[in-house]
Amino acid sequence: MSKKLFVEIVSPDREVWAGEGDMVIAKTVEGEMGVQPGHVPVLSLLAEDAVVRVLGARETGEIRAAAHGGFISVSGEGRISILAETAELAEDIDVDRAREALKGAGESGDSQAAARARSRLRAIGEEVA
């Protein structure tokens, strides 16, 4: 059993982030799941408005990403793959643009756009209903 997990967050057009961490927390359709080294293999669907957190990563201690759709795959060797329809690191999110997207989605009734905007705002630490 290794002491670190290797984590990759990937969208169809690019690798968003890859590196080591101590724990991954992700919102799935069945609820939040936490994965530490030694976790059994699992495959689960990400929630439409998921936020993925990698604890123990980088010098900041945490990576946060908004991930919309897709799935999380945990191998028995400590490798975690987050394969999302769209994914964006919290540090790359334009807060004003995300707020405008949420407002616009609410006005138009676009539930998928609203879910994406909510996940982006949650990834940067904002409380969103």
Side-chain angles (χ1 to χ4, degrees), residues 1 3 10 31 34 39-40 46-47 49 59-60 62 72 90 95 101 103-105 107 115-117 120-121:
M1 176 165 89
K3 295 186 189 256
V10 181
H39 198 285
V40 297
L46 290 172
D49 60 349
E59 57 280 346
T60 60
E62 182 176 359
I72 177 172
V95 179
K103 182 180 174 188
E107 291 170 356
R116 282 191 302 272
R120 294 173 75 219
L121 290 169

Side-chain angles (χ1 to χ4, degrees), residues 27-64:
K27 184 177 177 188
T28 70
V29 295
E30 297 171 343
E32 261 195 350
M33 73 180 284
V35 179
Q36 293 180 309
H39 198 285
V40 297
V42 68
L43 179 66
S44 187
L45 291 173
L46 290 172
E48 289 296 311
D49 60 349
V51 172
V52 175
R53 298 171 52 208
V54 182
L55 307 179
R58 289 194 185 159
E59 57 280 346
T60 60
E62 182 176 359
I63 296 293
R64 286 178 174 249

Side-chain angles (χ1 to χ4, degrees), residues 2-24:
S2 71
K3 295 186 189 256
K4 288 278 192 182
L5 299 166
F6 178 77
V7 184
E8 60 184 344
I9 302 172
V10 181
S11 69
D13 59 336
R14 68 187 177 105
E15 179 179 82
V16 176
W17 183 82
E20 291 186 330
D22 298 322
M23 181 176 189
V24 174

